[in-house]
């Protein structure tokens, strides 16, 4: 075991690297060297990372198969837009409203459905996601199927980058805390962890609510980047997209979720040059990756858990794999 | 009352189609615990095979039906061999993602090959006749779909309950390890399950073609999802459950459209599903197996 | 295990070969049509339409129209002595993808972007086009706020369209029903999952009531539905004199067929989303009698411009063009005219020229662009009579 220092060197280095990336991109944007196309894909990357990391908390670490993530994203997006665009409040209030609304939706949906197991939970969450979409589609106040246009672009690079790091730090620390160990024990063996005195339902709901909350955050960032939201953007296929990222990265690996989010965003962008067979290639790549690497790119290994998991998590060695 | 009966007839035809698709879902799930999201797209392929054999080869409706069922049986077996078998011992979620991949592949390869344009089933292949029975309108298509679905279900029930293959399927579904020890070829049994499930989906696809006249490469997504819901409603992996779930789903949707509002139809369908699951977490026919510790 | 993985690889390789072969042969075809002089200077034109997703069939038809127009322009010597070169992107009818594609296209220095079809996807593209001062021509986005700023009502300098607005065509149909068909009440049964149909329903209701009619019921369906019998059975008991069905032909054809199957014989009307050769094929000649829709043009119009377009389209794609194809064709042709008018291939100048277009002879009517960047043109009402399209 290394000697305990107040601020370990690796932590400093990684913070510096992140700050470097941030400054570099910010410089490139301000100086106009990074064109719009790359900016959009960078932003999409950040949003995908938040979505994947938060879904990974539910699906990967808690082991509860949720197929309704796009629904929470929708709740967050709409809540934020109602605050910023319809009531003309500040972006921060919008973000808070998004987290609050999506977290609340997670609680309302999580409490009854998390009693279900496996595929029954999957279909129930999928159902709730679709119900959210249908409801949004039928409220004329928020534009019905046409959605809301003319949303101001508040999601600038500092916001996107900052909140992405914020999400990763919070979730990585949560997993590395005693809560996290309880959550993982639910995944590994529900009965055994119950016998150990862990209230499994509470921990499942906790993970679900936090996952939903960050999905809402991603939704808010999405809405304030792409100017327009409409219910059909958040259908069950969107949930599948997020799930694909999570599984591709490796269930239960935050690093994997981040890498896969970056990879998938770049892949989709690259495939755009073959518009006719784009989706066919995407499907083939998906099947091939799964057949040859069913545990995902990272399995459940992590990089740099020290840094992110350090801030308030207990300073123990990374959890043994599995 | 008359209107209610009319709606019931509408619901039964729709339900018969859902039930046939749901059966395939449930059979595959029962045997390898996989939600085969590509199932709805196999139905789409079946519809296209049926369409081409009628429109190009000029075969009659029954030949087209059998041809579609055979081709899709082969397709189902092939998909299982290529995409699902290598993952049999991996996590179930990896298999699920593969299924999504296969589903996207079938949709968009068909779209690429045959353009996104919808195709129109030739009306002459199955001319419509309407019958007025005491104020109720019933068409020969309604009757055809309902009867065909019931025949196929009875045949399926017979295969599963009375034949050696069916016995093997039940054995593999119950305990794969034990089935191997008893000398059952698991690979073969799984292939047969995929073949049967896919051919039922193909039959449903041709029925949709006949009943609604149009087919397109993305037609499998929504009925596939609805049928999946139906299968879960009845208790996934349980064959009578899928039949009841399918019919229930069809009737429910029709009634919501007829007496409520179409706008909330999908929401109500999912809402009822969730309510049923909350009361009975393993579906209507599901057995609560308890937990093995 | 090992065997099956090899099998996977084999199948994939075969498949990849097939796709590559398909692609390369397609590209060859495209090159031939585009002329084999590689030395000719080109002006890139962005095509950003729905090639996958729910609206793929409309998007690909529109794309076909655009590509056909560009080929014809190039065969006639191009614009300003240069050839137009289409760069295609698939926006999947998602606003975010549309925006992403626009950014990529602007990066390729396109002179203008054609598409997307839906108003929502156009709204996604709009900010990028505005920032980069590159015109966007929407072939079929009919929502009111496509070409004007949402809050201020100011016209967006670089956004144009070649189709009429929802409000206008719904009003035309309402007046037609009241004055020509002489009905007094109507029901509305349209799609509720897209803004296009919802807009039509709203405007039709307003215009119909303003004209002295009565709306006795409003119902909706969801795109992708195939079964309308439940709601139709319900509507039948209301005894309406007219049914207004705003939506796309994929659903409308089935809906009309099922309505006639249920012995609902009253006239049925709708909008331009109906226009497709598939209507007759799906619904049948008989069922379509006594149905009317507002449209951009009639495919059976004998005028030489239209019939030569229809012939060329049929020769290239082996099917009849629908409204989306015609509008896509017009959007590319009007762009060529604007580039010629501008005198140089500069996006901002082309936008100015687009705003000045007068009496452009399009397939979908002779149009002039007004101060809100909407085309001013006639709306035709078409009646299905024994499978034939009759202009009213």
């Amino acid at each position: 075991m290394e000697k305990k220092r107040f601020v370990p060197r690796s932590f400093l280095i990684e913070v510096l690297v992140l700050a470097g990336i941030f400054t570099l991109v910010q410089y490139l944007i301000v100086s106009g060297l990074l064109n719009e196309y790359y900016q959009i894909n960078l932003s999409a990357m950040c949003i995908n990372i938040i979505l994947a990391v938060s879904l990974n908390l539910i699906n990967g670490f808690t082991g509860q198969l949720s197929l309704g993530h796009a629904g929470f994203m929708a709740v967050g997006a709409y809540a934020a837009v109602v605050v910023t665009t319809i009531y003309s409040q500040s972006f921060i209030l919008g973000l808070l409203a998004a987290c609050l609304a999506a977290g609340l939706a997670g609680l309302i949906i999580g409490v009854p459905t998390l009693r279900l197991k496996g595929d029954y939970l999957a279909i129930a969450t999928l159902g709730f996601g679709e119900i959210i979409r249908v409801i949004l589609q039928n409220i004329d106040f928020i534009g019905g199927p046409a959605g809301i246009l003319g949303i101001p672009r508040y999601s600038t690079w500092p916001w996107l980058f900052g909140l992405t790091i914020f999400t990763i730090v919070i979730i990585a620390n949560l997993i590395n805390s005693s809560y996290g160990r309880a959550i993982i024990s639910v995944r590994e063996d529900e009965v055994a962890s119950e016998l150990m005195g862990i209230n499994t339902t509470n921990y499942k709901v906790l993970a679900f609510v936090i996952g939903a909350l960050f999905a809402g955050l991603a939704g808010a960032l999405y809405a304030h980047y792409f100017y327009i939201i409409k219910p059909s953007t958040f259908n069950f296929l969107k949930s599948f997209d997020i799930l694909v990222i999570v599984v591709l990265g490796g269930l239960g690996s935050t690093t994997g979720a981040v890498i896969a989010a970056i990879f998938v965003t770049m892949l989709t962008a690259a495939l755009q040059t073959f518009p006719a067979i784009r989706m066919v290639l995407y499907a083939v790549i998906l099947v091939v990756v799964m057949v040859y690497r069913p545990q995902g790119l990272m399995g459940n290994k992590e990089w740099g858990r020290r840094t992110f998991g350090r801030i308030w998590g207990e300073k123990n060695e990374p959890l043994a794999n599995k | 009352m008359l209107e209610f009966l009319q709606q019931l007839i509408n619901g039964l035809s729709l339900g018969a189609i859902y039930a046939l698709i749901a059966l395939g879902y449930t059979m595959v799930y029962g045997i390898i615990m996989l939600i085969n999201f590509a199932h709805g797209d196999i139905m789409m392929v079946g519809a296209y095979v049926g369409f081409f054999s009628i429109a190009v080869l000029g075969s009659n409706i029954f030949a087209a039906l059998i041809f579609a069922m055979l081709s899709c049986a082969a397709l189902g077996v092939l998909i299982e061999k290529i995409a699902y078998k290598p993952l049999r011992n991996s996590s179930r979620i990896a298999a699920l993602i593969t299924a999504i991949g296969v589903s996207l592949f079938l949709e968009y390869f068909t779209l690429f090959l045959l353009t996104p344009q919808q195709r129109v089933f030739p009306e002459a292949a199955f001319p419509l006749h309407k019958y007025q029975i005491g104020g109720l309108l019933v068409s020969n298509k309604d009757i055809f779909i309902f009867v065909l679905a019931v025949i196929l279900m009875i045949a399926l029930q017979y295969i599963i309950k009375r034949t050696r293959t069916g016995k093997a399927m039940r054995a593999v579904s119950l305990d794969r390890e034990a089935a191997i020890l008893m000398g059952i070829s698991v690979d073969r049994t799984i292939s047969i399950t995929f073949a049967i499930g896919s051919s039922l989906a193909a039959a449903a696809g041709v029925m949709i073609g006949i009943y609604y006249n149009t087919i397109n490469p993305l037609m499998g997504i929504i009925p596939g999802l609805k049928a999946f819901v139906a299968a879960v409603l009845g208790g996934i992996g349980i064959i009578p459950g899928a039949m009841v779930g399918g019919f229930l789903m069809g009737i429910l949707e029709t009634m919501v459209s007829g007496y409520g509002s179409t706008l909330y139809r999908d929401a109500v369908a999912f809402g009822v599903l969730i309510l049923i699951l909350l009361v009975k977490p393993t579906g209507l026919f599901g057995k609560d197996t308890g937990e093995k510790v | 295990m090992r065997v099956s993985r090899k099998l996977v690889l084999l199948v994939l390789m075969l498949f990849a070969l097939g796709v590559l072969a398909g692609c390369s042969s397609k590209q060859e075809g495209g090159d031939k049509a585009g002329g084999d002089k590689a030395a000719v200077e080109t002006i890139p034109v962005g095509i950003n339409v729905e090639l996958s997703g729910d609206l793929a069939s409309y998007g690909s038809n529109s794309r076909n129209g655009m590509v056909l127009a560009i080929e014809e322009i190039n065969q006639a010597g191009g614009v300003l002595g240069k050839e137009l070169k289409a760069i295609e992107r698939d926006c999947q009818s998602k606003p975010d993808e549309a925006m992403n594609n626009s950014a990529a296209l602007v990066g390729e220095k396109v002179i203008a972007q054609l598409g997307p079809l839906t108003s929502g996807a156009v709204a996604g593209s709009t900010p990028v086009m505005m920032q980069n001062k590159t015109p966007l021509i929407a072939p079929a986005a009919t929502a009111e706020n496509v070409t004007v700023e949402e809050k201020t009502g100011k016209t967006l300098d670089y956004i144009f369209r070649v189709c009429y607005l929802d409000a206008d065509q719904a009003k035309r149909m309402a007046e037609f029903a009241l004055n020509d068909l002489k009905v007094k009440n109507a029901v509305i049964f349209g799609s509720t999952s897209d803004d296009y149909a919802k807009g039509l329903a709203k405007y039709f209701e307003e215009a119909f009531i303003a004209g002295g009619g009565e709306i006795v019921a409003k119902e909706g369906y969801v795109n992708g539905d195939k079964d309308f019998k439940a709601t139709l059975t319900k509507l039948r008991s209301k005894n309406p004199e007219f049914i207004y069905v705003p939506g796309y032909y994929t659903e409308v054809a089935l809906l009309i067929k099922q309505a006639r199957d249920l012995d609902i014989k009253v006239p049925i009307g709708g909008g331009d989303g109906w226009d497709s050769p598939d209507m007759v094929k799906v619904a049948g000649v008989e069922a379509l009698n006594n149905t009317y829709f507002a449209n951009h043009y009639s495919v059976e119009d004998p005028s030489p411009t239209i019939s030569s377009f229809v012939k060329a389209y049929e020769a290239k794609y082996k099917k009849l063009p629908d409204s989306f194809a015609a509008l896509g064709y017009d959007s590319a042709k009007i762009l060529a005219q604007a580039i010629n008018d501008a005198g140089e291939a500069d996006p901002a100048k082309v936008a100015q020229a687009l705003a000045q277009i007068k009496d452009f002879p399009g397939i979908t009517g002779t149009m002039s662009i007004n101060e809100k960047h909407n085309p001013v043109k006639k709306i035709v009402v078409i009646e299905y009579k024994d499978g034939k399209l009759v202009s009213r």
Side-chain angles (χ1 to χ4, degrees), chain B:
Chain B
M1 190 58 203
L2 211 59
E3 192 181 324
F4 178 79
L5 288 176
Q6 184 75 54
Q7 300 287 26
L8 201 64
I9 292 171
N10 297 339
L12 283 175
S13 334
L14 189 62
I17 293 172
Y18 285 157
L20 274 185
I21 312 174
L23 280 172
Y25 258 116
T26 246
M27 287 173 66
V28 168
Y29 187 90
I31 204 151
I32 55 170
M33 303 290 273
L34 165 75
I35 304 174
N36 184 11
F37 270 116
H39 195 67
D41 302 299
I42 293 178
M43 176 207 85
M44 175 272 295
V45 174
Y48 268 91
V49 173
F51 166 77
F52 280 115
S53 52
I54 292 174
V56 179
L57 304 178
S59 58
N60 71 20
I61 193 72
F62 291 101
L65 195 69
I66 288 166
F67 191 46
M69 288 173 76
L70 288 177
S71 328
C72 280
L75 178 70
V77 172
L78 189 71
I79 289 174
E80 196 274 328
K81 287 267 184 282
I82 293 177
Y84 300 150
K85 196 175 162 212
L87 288 161
R88 213 176 275 164
N89 297 318
S90 314
S91 71
R92 288 182 40 210
I93 197 159
L96 183 73
I97 298 293
T98 314
I100 293 176
V102 172
S103 149
L104 287 175
F105 178 81
L106 289 178
E107 284 160 19
Y108 285 99
F109 192 59
T110 315
L111 197 107
F112 172 69
L113 215 61
L114 302 171
T115 79
Q117 249 52 318
Q118 60 175 9
R119 306 285 168 135
V120 182
F121 253 70
E123 180 70 27
F126 199 89
L128 178 80
H129 296 289
K130 285 184 284 187
Y131 308 102
Q132 196 95 26
I133 306 166
L136 286 179
L137 269 178
V138 184
S139 79
N140 56 345
K141 290 186 180 181
D142 289 316
I143 298 169
F144 174 73
I145 284 183
F146 188 77
V147 171
L148 187 62
V150 170
I151 290 174
L152 287 174
M153 287 177 205
I154 292 172
L156 178 69
Q157 224 23 347
Y158 175 81
I159 291 174
I160 287 176
K161 295 277 182 219
R162 309 269 165 196
T163 63
R164 285 176 65 87
T165 321
K167 209 178 232 173
M169 284 161 71
R170 281 183 289 148
V172 174
S173 157
L174 204 62
D175 189 336
R176 195 190 296 169
E177 300 295 312
I180 295 173
L181 294 178
M182 298 304 287
I184 294 170
S185 164
V186 172
D187 281 350
R188 194 170 152 269
T189 313
I190 292 178
S191 289
I192 292 173
T193 310
F194 266 89
I196 296 176
S198 304
S199 62
L200 289 177
V206 176
M207 283 180 184
I208 288 188
I210 297 169
Y211 199 64
Y212 299 117
N213 286 56
T214 57
I215 58 175
N216 70 61
L218 302 180
M219 67 186 274
I221 302 176
I222 297 298
L225 186 69
K226 298 269 174 69
F228 174 42
V229 171
V232 177
L233 197 69
I236 193 155
I238 298 153
I239 286 172
M243 295 181 197
V244 173
F247 279 113
L248 210 62
M249 188 81 185
I251 293 169
L252 185 70
E253 283 200 349
T254 332
M255 291 304 165
V256 174
S257 299
Y259 294 97
S261 164
T262 318
L263 311 185
Y264 287 99
R265 186 196 54 207
D266 293 355
V268 170
F270 279 113
V272 168
L273 169 82
I274 291 166
L275 278 182
I276 287 179
L277 287 186
L278 291 181
V279 178
K280 208 161 175 318
T282 46
L284 287 178
F285 287 62
K287 279 183 272 275
D288 197 2
T289 43
E291 260 165 295
K292 279 181 251 174
V293 180

Side-chain angles (χ1 to χ4, degrees), chain A:
Chain A
M1 238 188 152
E2 66 185 286
K3 216 173 138 191
K4 279 185 189 173
R5 261 174 286 182
F6 181 62
V7 184
R9 192 179 295 145
S10 60
F11 178 76
L12 264 181
I13 292 173
E14 281 167 49
V15 168
L16 280 177
V17 167
L18 288 175
I21 294 176
F22 170 74
T23 324
L24 182 70
V25 173
Q26 179 70 6
Y27 167 74
L28 289 174
I29 292 174
V30 172
S31 64
L33 287 171
L34 201 67
N35 72 21
E36 179 110 27
Y37 176 66
Y38 291 104
Q39 287 183 33
I40 292 174
N41 279 307
L42 262 180
S43 314
M45 233 174 240
C46 289
I47 292 164
N48 279 340
I49 289 174
I50 300 179
L51 287 170
V53 169
S54 58
L55 183 66
N56 197 18
L57 176 66
I58 303 173
N59 283 4
F61 289 106
T62 322
Q64 305 300 311
L65 184 53
S66 163
L67 293 179
H69 221 50
F72 299 125
M73 190 184 167
V75 170
Y78 271 91
V81 170
V82 165
V83 169
T84 61
T85 309
I86 298 183
Y87 291 113
S88 314
Q89 299 297 313
S90 71
F91 187 41
I92 298 184
L93 271 182
L95 289 178
L96 287 176
C99 293
L100 210 68
L104 199 66
L107 187 70
I108 293 170
I109 293 170
V111 168
T113 50
L114 284 168
R115 299 192 301 130
L116 301 174
K117 294 205 175 10
D119 301 304
Y120 292 99
L121 176 66
I123 189 72
T125 46
L126 193 155
F128 267 118
E130 286 294 283
I131 291 175
I132 290 175
R133 188 180 59 81
V134 172
I135 291 174
L136 291 174
Q137 200 161 295
N138 286 304
I139 303 178
D140 284 331
F141 173 64
I142 47 171
I148 304 179
L149 278 111
I151 303 165
R153 185 180 254 185
Y154 291 138
S155 302
T156 52
W157 170 247
W159 276 112
L160 285 162
F161 188 79
L163 288 176
T164 306
I165 300 298
F166 175 73
T167 308
I168 299 173
V169 168
I170 297 281
I171 289 183
N173 277 284
L174 176 77
I175 290 159
N176 224 12
S177 68
S178 60
Y179 289 97
R181 281 192 296 279
I183 282 172
I184 293 173
S185 77
V186 173
R187 174 188 73 187
E188 292 302 327
D189 194 329
E190 211 174 320
V191 178
S193 46
E194 203 142 352
L195 291 176
M196 298 294 287
I198 291 170
N199 187 337
T200 53
T201 314
N202 276 2
Y203 283 102
K204 281 197 252 177
V205 172
L206 177 78
F208 199 74
V209 168
I210 293 176
L213 187 145
F214 281 107
L217 183 69
L221 288 172
Y222 173 92
H224 290 89
Y225 193 82
F226 289 101
Y227 300 105
I228 169 177
I229 46 169
K230 50 181 198 170
S232 60
T233 309
F234 306 105
N235 61 11
F236 69 98
L237 296 171
K238 179 80 190 169
S239 298
F240 283 5
D241 287 346
I242 310 170
L243 183 68
V244 164
I245 296 178
V246 170
V247 179
L248 221 52
L251 277 171
S253 165
T254 308
T255 323
V258 173
I259 294 175
I262 296 173
F263 171 73
V264 168
T265 316
M266 294 205 304
L267 181 71
T268 356
L271 288 179
Q272 268 294 356
T273 35
F274 312 99
I277 50 165
R278 192 177 58 87
M279 289 305 289
V280 182
L281 292 178
Y282 179 73
V284 170
I285 292 170
L286 200 62
V287 173
V288 170
V289 173
M290 279 297 115
V291 168
Y292 284 91
R293 202 154 168 82
Q295 71 275 46
L297 298 172
M298 288 293 291
N300 54 6
K301 297 184 185 64
E302 299 280 11
W303 290 341
R305 188 197 287 279
R306 288 257 168 70
T307 308
F308 289 117
R310 187 111 196 179
I311 298 177
W312 70 70
E314 286 161 43
K315 296 172 180 58
N316 55 338
E317 284 294 294
L319 287 164
N321 293 333
K322 178 136 192 165

Side-chain angles (χ1 to χ4, degrees), chain C residues 89-124:
Chain C
R89 289 287 185 275
D90 170 21
C91 77
Q92 309 161 48
S93 73
K94 293 179 188 161
D96 47 350
E97 284 295 334
M99 180 198 277
N100 201 343
N101 289 341
S102 292
L105 290 170
V106 168
E108 304 247 9
K109 303 268 174 266
V110 294
I111 185 82
Q113 175 186 307
L114 307 177
L117 294 197
T118 57
S119 305
V122 171

